[in-house]
mmCIF file of all heavy atoms in Angstrom:
data_model
loop_
_atom_site.group_PDB
_atom_site.id
_atom_site.type_symbol
_atom_site.label_atom_id
_atom_site.label_comp_id
_atom_site.label_asym_id
_atom_site.label_seq_id
_atom_site.Cartn_x
_atom_site.Cartn_y
_atom_site.Cartn_z
ATOM 1 N N ASP A 1 0.798 -1.265 -0.012
ATOM 2 C CA ASP A 1 0.101 -0.056 -0.023
ATOM 3 C C ASP A 1 0.866 1.225 0.096
ATOM 4 O O ASP A 1 0.514 2.318 -0.701
ATOM 5 C CB ASP A 1 -0.896 0.013 1.243
ATOM 6 C CG ASP A 1 -2.020 -0.992 1.073
ATOM 7 O OD1 ASP A 1 -2.477 -1.343 -0.090
ATOM 8 O OD2 ASP A 1 -2.660 -1.376 2.092
ATOM 9 N N HIS A 2 1.913 1.247 0.800
ATOM 10 C CA HIS A 2 2.813 2.436 0.840
ATOM 11 C C HIS A 2 3.370 2.681 -0.540
ATOM 12 O O HIS A 2 3.440 3.823 -0.941
ATOM 13 C CB HIS A 2 3.900 2.199 1.823
ATOM 14 C CG HIS A 2 4.972 3.315 1.848
ATOM 15 N ND1 HIS A 2 4.821 4.503 2.343
ATOM 16 C CD2 HIS A 2 6.243 3.172 1.290
ATOM 17 C CE1 HIS A 2 5.909 5.165 2.100
ATOM 18 N NE2 HIS A 2 6.747 4.529 1.507
ATOM 19 N N TYR A 3 3.963 1.666 -1.205
ATOM 20 C CA TYR A 3 4.708 1.866 -2.374
ATOM 21 C C TYR A 3 3.650 2.404 -3.559
ATOM 22 O O TYR A 3 4.009 3.195 -4.363
ATOM 23 C CB TYR A 3 5.372 0.542 -2.846
ATOM 24 C CG TYR A 3 6.795 0.709 -2.410
ATOM 25 C CD1 TYR A 3 7.134 0.282 -1.035
ATOM 26 C CD2 TYR A 3 7.824 0.953 -3.150
ATOM 27 C CE1 TYR A 3 8.385 0.288 -0.566
ATOM 28 C CE2 TYR A 3 9.105 1.087 -2.682
ATOM 29 C CZ TYR A 3 9.389 0.762 -1.362
ATOM 30 O OH TYR A 3 10.729 0.781 -0.980
ATOM 31 N N ALA A 4 2.373 1.833 -3.400
ATOM 32 C CA ALA A 4 1.302 2.294 -4.363
ATOM 33 C C ALA A 4 1.060 3.678 -4.137
ATOM 34 O O ALA A 4 0.839 4.559 -5.023
ATOM 35 C CB ALA A 4 0.091 1.437 -4.297
ATOM 36 N N ALA A 5 0.992 4.262 -2.865
ATOM 37 C CA ALA A 5 0.642 5.539 -2.486
ATOM 38 C C ALA A 5 1.725 6.596 -2.971
ATOM 39 O O ALA A 5 1.447 7.715 -3.271
ATOM 40 C CB ALA A 5 0.415 5.702 -1.042
ATOM 41 N N VAL A 6 3.051 6.076 -3.014
ATOM 42 C CA VAL A 6 4.111 7.129 -3.353
ATOM 43 C C VAL A 6 4.718 6.671 -4.596
ATOM 44 O O VAL A 6 5.865 7.166 -4.823
ATOM 45 C CB VAL A 6 5.059 7.200 -2.144
ATOM 46 C CG1 VAL A 6 4.433 7.754 -0.883
ATOM 47 C CG2 VAL A 6 5.709 5.839 -1.776
ATOM 48 N N GLN A 7 4.173 5.916 -5.511
ATOM 49 C CA GLN A 7 4.805 5.417 -6.664
ATOM 50 C C GLN A 7 5.307 6.410 -7.617
ATOM 51 O O GLN A 7 6.313 6.341 -8.301
ATOM 52 C CB GLN A 7 3.982 4.428 -7.273
ATOM 53 C CG GLN A 7 2.615 4.898 -7.911
ATOM 54 C CD GLN A 7 1.886 3.691 -8.406
ATOM 55 O OE1 GLN A 7 2.002 2.522 -8.122
ATOM 56 N NE2 GLN A 7 0.816 4.130 -9.232
ATOM 57 N N ASP A 8 4.425 7.534 -7.650
ATOM 58 C CA ASP A 8 4.780 8.536 -8.632
ATOM 59 C C ASP A 8 6.124 9.225 -8.199
ATOM 60 O O ASP A 8 6.859 9.736 -9.100
ATOM 61 C CB ASP A 8 3.733 9.601 -8.697
ATOM 62 C CG ASP A 8 2.500 9.070 -9.416
ATOM 63 O OD1 ASP A 8 2.654 7.946 -9.999
ATOM 64 O OD2 ASP A 8 1.442 9.727 -9.351
ATOM 65 N N GLN A 9 6.357 9.260 -6.889
ATOM 66 C CA GLN A 9 7.649 9.910 -6.440
ATOM 67 C C GLN A 9 8.834 8.865 -6.497
ATOM 68 O O GLN A 9 9.946 9.199 -6.998
ATOM 69 C CB GLN A 9 7.530 10.264 -4.972
ATOM 70 C CG GLN A 9 8.897 10.905 -4.441
ATOM 71 C CD GLN A 9 8.801 11.037 -2.893
ATOM 72 O OE1 GLN A 9 7.885 10.515 -2.229
ATOM 73 N NE2 GLN A 9 9.770 11.762 -2.391
ATOM 74 N N LEU A 10 8.585 7.597 -6.136
ATOM 75 C CA LEU A 10 9.652 6.625 -6.005
ATOM 76 C C LEU A 10 10.057 5.861 -7.302
ATOM 77 O O LEU A 10 11.225 5.682 -7.544
ATOM 78 C CB LEU A 10 9.358 5.642 -4.945
ATOM 79 C CG LEU A 10 9.147 6.082 -3.466
ATOM 80 C CD1 LEU A 10 8.945 4.927 -2.518
ATOM 81 C CD2 LEU A 10 10.420 6.860 -2.955
ATOM 82 N N ALA A 11 9.034 5.526 -8.114
ATOM 83 C CA ALA A 11 9.384 4.641 -9.320
ATOM 84 C C ALA A 11 10.350 5.333 -10.251
ATOM 85 O O ALA A 11 11.265 4.744 -10.717
ATOM 86 C CB ALA A 11 8.073 4.372 -10.071
ATOM 87 N N PRO A 12 10.326 6.763 -10.426
ATOM 88 C CA PRO A 12 11.366 7.308 -11.431
ATOM 89 C C PRO A 12 12.705 7.251 -10.895
ATOM 90 O O PRO A 12 13.580 7.487 -11.608
ATOM 91 C CB PRO A 12 10.817 8.784 -11.507
ATOM 92 C CG PRO A 12 9.345 8.736 -11.228
ATOM 93 C CD PRO A 12 9.241 7.701 -10.071
ATOM 94 N N LEU A 13 12.981 7.037 -9.555
ATOM 95 C CA LEU A 13 14.205 6.935 -8.930
ATOM 96 C C LEU A 13 14.942 5.678 -9.346
ATOM 97 O O LEU A 13 16.199 5.732 -9.228
ATOM 98 C CB LEU A 13 14.111 7.059 -7.474
ATOM 99 C CG LEU A 13 13.579 8.398 -6.866
ATOM 100 C CD1 LEU A 13 13.354 8.204 -5.326
ATOM 101 C CD2 LEU A 13 14.204 9.547 -7.245
ATOM 102 N N ALA A 14 14.347 4.672 -9.604
ATOM 103 C CA ALA A 14 14.905 3.327 -9.845
ATOM 104 C C ALA A 14 15.428 3.145 -11.341
ATOM 105 O O ALA A 14 15.016 3.766 -12.219
ATOM 106 C CB ALA A 14 13.809 2.218 -9.724
ATOM 107 N N GLY A 15 16.450 2.443 -11.361
ATOM 108 C CA GLY A 15 17.112 2.116 -12.543
ATOM 109 C C GLY A 15 18.398 1.367 -12.372
ATOM 110 O O GLY A 15 18.887 1.207 -11.259
ATOM 111 N N PRO A 16 19.082 0.978 -13.445
ATOM 112 C CA PRO A 16 20.326 0.121 -13.287
ATOM 113 C C PRO A 16 21.322 0.999 -12.418
ATOM 114 O O PRO A 16 21.766 1.995 -12.577
ATOM 115 C CB PRO A 16 20.828 0.039 -14.720
ATOM 116 C CG PRO A 16 19.581 0.046 -15.442
ATOM 117 C CD PRO A 16 18.721 1.056 -14.892
ATOM 118 N N GLY A 17 21.589 0.230 -11.262
ATOM 119 C CA GLY A 17 22.538 0.809 -10.308
ATOM 120 C C GLY A 17 21.989 1.442 -9.102
ATOM 121 O O GLY A 17 22.730 1.731 -8.136
ATOM 122 N N HIS A 18 20.658 1.630 -9.135
ATOM 123 C CA HIS A 18 20.000 2.346 -8.018
ATOM 124 C C HIS A 18 18.488 1.955 -7.870
ATOM 125 O O HIS A 18 17.716 2.157 -8.847
ATOM 126 C CB HIS A 18 20.232 3.888 -8.170
ATOM 127 C CG HIS A 18 19.970 4.371 -9.550
ATOM 128 N ND1 HIS A 18 18.769 4.900 -9.935
ATOM 129 C CD2 HIS A 18 20.744 4.397 -10.674
ATOM 130 C CE1 HIS A 18 18.785 5.308 -11.265
ATOM 131 N NE2 HIS A 18 20.104 4.869 -11.694
ATOM 132 N N TRP A 19 18.221 1.480 -6.719
ATOM 133 C CA TRP A 19 16.882 0.768 -6.616
ATOM 134 C C TRP A 19 16.231 1.147 -5.187
ATOM 135 O O TRP A 19 16.898 1.208 -4.263
ATOM 136 C CB TRP A 19 17.035 -0.723 -6.563
ATOM 137 C CG TRP A 19 17.861 -1.137 -7.765
ATOM 138 C CD1 TRP A 19 19.255 -1.529 -7.773
ATOM 139 C CD2 TRP A 19 17.398 -1.301 -9.126
ATOM 140 N NE1 TRP A 19 19.640 -1.946 -9.113
ATOM 141 C CE2 TRP A 19 18.586 -1.759 -9.902
ATOM 142 C CE3 TRP A 19 16.258 -1.186 -9.763
ATOM 143 C CZ2 TRP A 19 18.437 -1.890 -11.288
ATOM 144 C CZ3 TRP A 19 16.114 -1.433 -11.133
ATOM 145 C CH2 TRP A 19 17.227 -1.858 -11.822
ATOM 146 N N ASN A 20 14.913 1.283 -5.242
ATOM 147 C CA ASN A 20 14.060 1.307 -4.163
ATOM 148 C C ASN A 20 14.012 -0.023 -3.492
ATOM 149 O O ASN A 20 13.799 -1.135 -4.162
ATOM 150 C CB ASN A 20 12.610 1.770 -4.408
ATOM 151 C CG ASN A 20 12.563 3.176 -4.900
ATOM 152 O OD1 ASN A 20 12.846 4.175 -4.171
ATOM 153 N ND2 ASN A 20 12.206 3.392 -6.131
ATOM 154 N N ASP A 21 14.171 -0.058 -2.163
ATOM 155 C CA ASP A 21 14.181 -1.349 -1.517
ATOM 156 C C ASP A 21 12.979 -1.498 -0.469
ATOM 157 O O ASP A 21 12.994 -0.968 0.650
ATOM 158 C CB ASP A 21 15.563 -1.587 -0.753
ATOM 159 C CG ASP A 21 15.701 -2.783 0.011
ATOM 160 O OD1 ASP A 21 14.791 -3.777 -0.153
ATOM 161 O OD2 ASP A 21 16.611 -3.049 0.838
ATOM 162 N N PRO A 22 11.941 -2.302 -0.712
ATOM 163 C CA PRO A 22 10.905 -2.442 0.170
ATOM 164 C C PRO A 22 11.198 -3.560 1.236
ATOM 165 O O PRO A 22 10.188 -3.750 2.074
ATOM 166 C CB PRO A 22 9.725 -2.838 -0.795
ATOM 167 C CG PRO A 22 10.351 -3.629 -1.896
ATOM 168 C CD PRO A 22 11.722 -2.923 -2.045
ATOM 169 N N ASP A 23 12.311 -3.997 1.397
ATOM 170 C CA ASP A 23 12.796 -4.866 2.366
ATOM 171 C C ASP A 23 12.751 -6.293 2.014
ATOM 172 O O ASP A 23 12.372 -6.598 0.805
ATOM 173 C CB ASP A 23 12.103 -4.683 3.768
ATOM 174 C CG ASP A 23 13.008 -4.940 4.975
ATOM 175 O OD1 ASP A 23 14.185 -5.385 4.748
ATOM 176 O OD2 ASP A 23 12.503 -4.745 6.127
ATOM 177 N N MET A 24 13.001 -7.277 2.902
ATOM 178 C CA MET A 24 13.316 -8.598 2.545
ATOM 179 C C MET A 24 12.187 -9.464 2.142
ATOM 180 O O MET A 24 10.931 -9.160 2.479
ATOM 181 C CB MET A 24 13.945 -9.253 3.837
ATOM 182 C CG MET A 24 15.355 -8.719 4.250
ATOM 183 S SD MET A 24 15.716 -9.199 6.046
ATOM 184 C CE MET A 24 14.877 -7.884 6.918
ATOM 185 N N LEU A 25 12.433 -10.513 1.510
ATOM 186 C CA LEU A 25 11.404 -11.554 1.150
ATOM 187 C C LEU A 25 11.246 -12.406 2.332
ATOM 188 O O LEU A 25 12.177 -12.990 2.837
ATOM 189 C CB LEU A 25 11.878 -12.467 -0.013
ATOM 190 C CG LEU A 25 11.988 -11.719 -1.442
ATOM 191 C CD1 LEU A 25 12.533 -12.601 -2.412
ATOM 192 C CD2 LEU A 25 10.662 -11.126 -1.905
ATOM 193 N N ILE A 26 10.109 -12.532 2.873
ATOM 194 C CA ILE A 26 9.892 -13.429 4.059
ATOM 195 C C ILE A 26 9.242 -14.745 3.657
ATOM 196 O O ILE A 26 8.769 -15.513 4.507
ATOM 197 C CB ILE A 26 8.923 -12.692 5.045
ATOM 198 C CG1 ILE A 26 7.580 -12.337 4.450
ATOM 199 C CG2 ILE A 26 9.613 -11.549 5.621
ATOM 200 C CD1 ILE A 26 6.551 -11.844 5.587
ATOM 201 N N ILE A 27 9.265 -15.033 2.396
ATOM 202 C CA ILE A 27 8.705 -16.280 1.752
ATOM 203 C C ILE A 27 9.355 -17.481 2.409
ATOM 204 O O ILE A 27 10.684 -17.645 2.432
ATOM 205 C CB ILE A 27 8.804 -16.266 0.197
ATOM 206 C CG1 ILE A 27 8.115 -15.174 -0.375
ATOM 207 C CG2 ILE A 27 8.473 -17.652 -0.270
ATOM 208 C CD1 ILE A 27 8.507 -14.827 -1.817
ATOM 209 N N GLY A 28 8.589 -18.460 2.915
ATOM 210 C CA GLY A 28 9.023 -19.664 3.533
ATOM 211 C C GLY A 28 9.151 -19.574 5.048
ATOM 212 O O GLY A 28 9.508 -20.693 5.582
ATOM 213 N N ASN A 29 8.823 -18.495 5.602
ATOM 214 C CA ASN A 29 8.853 -18.410 7.108
ATOM 215 C C ASN A 29 7.515 -18.854 7.700
ATOM 216 O O ASN A 29 7.105 -19.949 7.430
ATOM 217 C CB ASN A 29 9.201 -17.080 7.542
ATOM 218 C CG ASN A 29 10.774 -16.710 7.233
ATOM 219 O OD1 ASN A 29 11.489 -17.654 7.384
ATOM 220 N ND2 ASN A 29 11.025 -15.587 6.942
ATOM 221 N N PHE A 30 6.921 -18.113 8.502
ATOM 222 C CA PHE A 30 5.740 -18.578 9.216
ATOM 223 C C PHE A 30 4.444 -17.715 8.877
ATOM 224 O O PHE A 30 3.383 -18.147 9.311
ATOM 225 C CB PHE A 30 5.957 -18.586 10.843
ATOM 226 C CG PHE A 30 7.315 -19.138 11.157
ATOM 227 C CD1 PHE A 30 8.404 -18.335 11.481
ATOM 228 C CD2 PHE A 30 7.437 -20.463 11.121
ATOM 229 C CE1 PHE A 30 9.547 -19.016 11.880
ATOM 230 C CE2 PHE A 30 8.597 -21.088 11.452
ATOM 231 C CZ PHE A 30 9.713 -20.310 11.827
ATOM 232 N N GLY A 31 4.590 -16.483 8.413
ATOM 233 C CA GLY A 31 3.548 -15.592 8.399
ATOM 234 C C GLY A 31 2.760 -15.497 7.086
ATOM 235 O O GLY A 31 1.664 -14.917 7.120
ATOM 236 N N LEU A 32 3.220 -16.139 6.045
ATOM 237 C CA LEU A 32 2.548 -16.050 4.748
ATOM 238 C C LEU A 32 1.890 -17.380 4.339
ATOM 239 O O LEU A 32 2.669 -18.376 4.417
ATOM 240 C CB LEU A 32 3.445 -15.464 3.617
ATOM 241 C CG LEU A 32 4.096 -14.158 3.799
ATOM 242 C CD1 LEU A 32 4.770 -13.686 2.612
ATOM 243 C CD2 LEU A 32 3.025 -13.016 4.151
ATOM 244 N N SER A 33 0.784 -17.285 3.744
ATOM 245 C CA SER A 33 0.223 -18.505 3.174
ATOM 246 C C SER A 33 0.921 -18.716 1.672
ATOM 247 O O SER A 33 1.694 -17.769 1.282
ATOM 248 C CB SER A 33 -1.275 -18.342 2.862
ATOM 249 O OG SER A 33 -1.546 -17.358 1.899
ATOM 250 N N TYR A 34 0.564 -19.816 1.099
ATOM 251 C CA TYR A 34 1.192 -20.092 -0.149
ATOM 252 C C TYR A 34 0.871 -19.046 -1.141
ATOM 253 O O TYR A 34 1.781 -18.467 -1.899
ATOM 254 C CB TYR A 34 0.710 -21.331 -0.741
ATOM 255 C CG TYR A 34 1.190 -21.724 -2.047
ATOM 256 C CD1 TYR A 34 2.539 -22.020 -2.349
ATOM 257 C CD2 TYR A 34 0.296 -21.856 -3.179
ATOM 258 C CE1 TYR A 34 3.024 -22.393 -3.679
ATOM 259 C CE2 TYR A 34 0.726 -22.111 -4.440
ATOM 260 C CZ TYR A 34 1.982 -22.382 -4.636
ATOM 261 O OH TYR A 34 2.378 -22.730 -6.004
ATOM 262 N N ASP A 35 -0.372 -18.575 -1.262
ATOM 263 C CA ASP A 35 -0.828 -17.483 -2.144
ATOM 264 C C ASP A 35 -0.226 -16.186 -1.775
ATOM 265 O O ASP A 35 0.198 -15.396 -2.646
ATOM 266 C CB ASP A 35 -2.409 -17.434 -2.145
ATOM 267 C CG ASP A 35 -2.959 -18.452 -2.997
ATOM 268 O OD1 ASP A 35 -2.824 -18.447 -4.293
ATOM 269 O OD2 ASP A 35 -3.587 -19.331 -2.503
ATOM 270 N N GLN A 36 -0.168 -15.858 -0.554
ATOM 271 C CA GLN A 36 0.474 -14.635 -0.062
ATOM 272 C C GLN A 36 2.017 -14.573 -0.422
ATOM 273 O O GLN A 36 2.492 -13.475 -0.792
ATOM 274 C CB GLN A 36 0.291 -14.368 1.367
ATOM 275 C CG GLN A 36 -1.203 -14.112 1.630
ATOM 276 C CD GLN A 36 -1.487 -14.383 3.173
ATOM 277 O OE1 GLN A 36 -0.751 -14.826 4.057
ATOM 278 N NE2 GLN A 36 -2.733 -13.963 3.628
ATOM 279 N N ALA A 37 2.633 -15.701 -0.410
ATOM 280 C CA ALA A 37 4.007 -15.715 -0.750
ATOM 281 C C ALA A 37 4.215 -15.356 -2.204
ATOM 282 O O ALA A 37 5.097 -14.691 -2.639
ATOM 283 C CB ALA A 37 4.650 -17.046 -0.318
ATOM 284 N N LYS A 38 3.346 -15.982 -3.076
ATOM 285 C CA LYS A 38 3.376 -15.697 -4.566
ATOM 286 C C LYS A 38 3.143 -14.253 -4.677
ATOM 287 O O LYS A 38 3.881 -13.613 -5.597
ATOM 288 C CB LYS A 38 2.414 -16.571 -5.304
ATOM 289 C CG LYS A 38 2.723 -17.937 -5.312
ATOM 290 C CD LYS A 38 2.022 -18.653 -6.393
ATOM 291 C CE LYS A 38 0.455 -18.695 -6.178
ATOM 292 N NZ LYS A 38 -0.221 -19.479 -7.264
ATOM 293 N N THR A 39 2.282 -13.665 -3.915
ATOM 294 C CA THR A 39 1.996 -12.214 -4.129
ATOM 295 C C THR A 39 3.250 -11.352 -3.817
ATOM 296 O O THR A 39 3.513 -10.412 -4.511
ATOM 297 C CB THR A 39 0.774 -11.803 -3.224
ATOM 298 O OG1 THR A 39 -0.415 -12.369 -3.604
ATOM 299 C CG2 THR A 39 0.509 -10.272 -3.323
ATOM 300 N N GLN A 40 3.939 -11.632 -2.696
ATOM 301 C CA GLN A 40 5.051 -10.929 -2.369
ATOM 302 C C GLN A 40 6.072 -11.077 -3.536
ATOM 303 O O GLN A 40 6.651 -10.000 -4.007
ATOM 304 C CB GLN A 40 5.837 -11.331 -1.068
ATOM 305 C CG GLN A 40 6.831 -10.279 -0.714
ATOM 306 C CD GLN A 40 7.720 -10.673 0.518
ATOM 307 O OE1 GLN A 40 7.827 -11.812 0.927
ATOM 308 N NE2 GLN A 40 8.419 -9.649 1.056
ATOM 309 N N MET A 41 6.327 -12.204 -4.043
ATOM 310 C CA MET A 41 7.309 -12.338 -5.000
ATOM 311 C C MET A 41 6.943 -11.699 -6.309
ATOM 312 O O MET A 41 7.827 -11.040 -7.031
ATOM 313 C CB MET A 41 7.524 -13.905 -5.379
ATOM 314 C CG MET A 41 8.607 -14.317 -6.239
ATOM 315 S SD MET A 41 10.191 -14.119 -5.466
ATOM 316 C CE MET A 41 11.303 -14.669 -6.767
ATOM 317 N N ALA A 42 5.659 -11.649 -6.582
ATOM 318 C CA ALA A 42 5.196 -11.032 -7.825
ATOM 319 C C ALA A 42 5.311 -9.460 -7.711
ATOM 320 O O ALA A 42 5.874 -8.803 -8.589
ATOM 321 C CB ALA A 42 3.725 -11.433 -8.054
ATOM 322 N N ILE A 43 4.786 -8.948 -6.679
ATOM 323 C CA ILE A 43 4.770 -7.457 -6.528
ATOM 324 C C ILE A 43 6.184 -6.852 -6.403
ATOM 325 O O ILE A 43 6.492 -5.815 -6.941
ATOM 326 C CB ILE A 43 3.788 -6.973 -5.380
ATOM 327 C CG1 ILE A 43 2.443 -7.457 -5.553
ATOM 328 C CG2 ILE A 43 3.858 -5.493 -5.237
ATOM 329 C CD1 ILE A 43 1.841 -6.937 -6.889
ATOM 330 N N TRP A 44 7.035 -7.614 -5.610
ATOM 331 C CA TRP A 44 8.446 -7.176 -5.614
ATOM 332 C C TRP A 44 9.012 -7.204 -6.827
ATOM 333 O O TRP A 44 9.894 -6.338 -7.141
ATOM 334 C CB TRP A 44 9.282 -8.107 -4.453
ATOM 335 C CG TRP A 44 9.429 -7.622 -3.158
ATOM 336 C CD1 TRP A 44 10.513 -7.417 -2.488
ATOM 337 C CD2 TRP A 44 8.342 -7.221 -2.297
ATOM 338 N NE1 TRP A 44 10.334 -6.915 -1.130
ATOM 339 C CE2 TRP A 44 8.925 -6.786 -0.969
ATOM 340 C CE3 TRP A 44 6.963 -7.115 -2.335
ATOM 341 C CZ2 TRP A 44 8.255 -6.308 0.090
ATOM 342 C CZ3 TRP A 44 6.296 -6.629 -1.269
ATOM 343 C CH2 TRP A 44 6.944 -6.144 -0.067
ATOM 344 N N SER A 45 8.815 -8.100 -7.747
ATOM 345 C CA SER A 45 9.307 -8.197 -9.109
ATOM 346 C C SER A 45 8.884 -7.098 -9.941
ATOM 347 O O SER A 45 9.618 -6.531 -10.685
ATOM 348 C CB SER A 45 9.193 -9.624 -9.673
ATOM 349 O OG SER A 45 9.916 -10.597 -8.967
ATOM 350 N N ILE A 46 7.525 -6.855 -9.903
ATOM 351 C CA ILE A 46 6.953 -5.639 -10.583
ATOM 352 C C ILE A 46 7.645 -4.383 -10.234
ATOM 353 O O ILE A 46 7.930 -3.465 -11.014
ATOM 354 C CB ILE A 46 5.472 -5.659 -10.470
ATOM 355 C CG1 ILE A 46 4.785 -6.805 -11.028
ATOM 356 C CG2 ILE A 46 4.904 -4.289 -10.857
ATOM 357 C CD1 ILE A 46 4.696 -6.746 -12.576
#
């Protein structure tokens, strides 16, 4: 939600050599279902 709210500011900053970092992938731990894990992987890649 945060990244969607500020995407017009943050997205233009990204590019080869310099990236916005929304923090770690928690896939495979305890808090995400299988579908939620796919969602994190997908949105982080987008």
Side-chain angles (χ1 to χ4, degrees):
D1 286 338
H2 170 75
Y3 270 79
V6 296
Q7 63 187 16
D8 291 349
Q9 176 190 16
L10 294 184
L13 304 173
H18 42 99
W19 310 99
N20 293 296
D21 179 10
D23 212 0
M24 295 160 280
L25 297 173
I26 59 169
I27 295 164
N29 289 325
F30 312 106
L32 299 186
S33 71
Y34 175 69
D35 280 291
Q36 291 163 353
K38 289 198 297 183
T39 296
Q40 189 188 20
M41 190 73 177
I43 300 301
W44 263 234
S45 296
I46 290 287

